[in-house]
Amino acid sequence: MSKSNSIGTTLKVNSKSVGGLTNINGVEINADTIDVSSLDNATGYREKEPGFKDVGDVTVSGFLDGDDAGQAECMTLLNSGAIVACQIIFPQKIGKTWSFQASVVRFSTGAVVGNAVTFEASFAVTGQPTLGPSSVSAG
């Protein structure tokens, strides 16, 4: 596998591809830190241990398409509150896929004179995501 441009990257939500995407702000994992410095510390430097990890939200944006089943699924999931399987599938040349469980927590649309109608959605990731080899072509 090697490097690639982002063309061909897809998002699947509950096994449905979300179309019209122009941007996927993907998985970002952060770890809390716990201060374990004690009063008998002789160095004067804080001591820290890792705490819980948090993925936060995956956000996407693109062009609103009234016929797109993936965009419709996002609205359905927002209304239901269901937690479902999601995947960010990178181009075949990279050969990697993020897999995670998430609920849709935001869906918005926008219209500006001279531009296409847009949408944005946010997915609250729960649990541990995995970055593994792609088993399905993103094409």
Side-chain angles (χ1 to χ4, degrees):
M1 299 301 147
S2 63
K3 300 172 190 161
S4 174
N5 66 36
S6 59
I7 295 171
T9 302
T10 59
L11 171 68
K12 286 195 175 189
V13 176
N14 209 17
S15 299
K16 294 185 173 129
S17 292
V18 179
L21 294 177
T22 58
N23 189 39
I24 300 172
N25 287 327
V27 173
E28 179 181 331
I29 303 170
N30 293 295
D32 294 337
T33 54
I34 301 168
D35 188 337
V36 294
S37 305
S38 60
L39 294 174
D40 60 354
N41 177 319
T43 67
Y45 285 89
R46 292 196 181 276
E47 298 171 355
K48 299 177 183 177
E49 293 285 332
F52 281 109
K53 294 168 189 70
D54 185 19
V55 181
D57 292 351
V58 169
T59 60
V60 300
S61 58
F63 300 114
L64 186 65
D65 181 344
D67 292 329
D68 186 78
Q71 291 180 22
E73 182 71 1
C74 290
M75 275 302 302
T76 298
L77 293 170
L78 177 63
N79 288 323
S80 74
I83 296 172
V84 298
C86 300
Q87 293 181 305
I88 300 170
I89 305 167
F90 295 108
Q92 190 171 12
K93 191 173 178 184
I94 292 177
K96 295 288 184 184
T97 295
W98 274 114
S99 299
F100 55 94
Q101 298 285 313
S103 59
V104 179
V105 295
R106 185 176 68 87
F107 191 93
S108 65
T109 58
V112 176
V113 172
N115 290 319
V117 176
T118 61
F119 84 99
E120 294 182 353
S122 295
F123 302 82
V125 179
T126 184
Q128 181 179 354
T130 58
L131 180 61
S134 293
S135 59
V136 178
S137 172

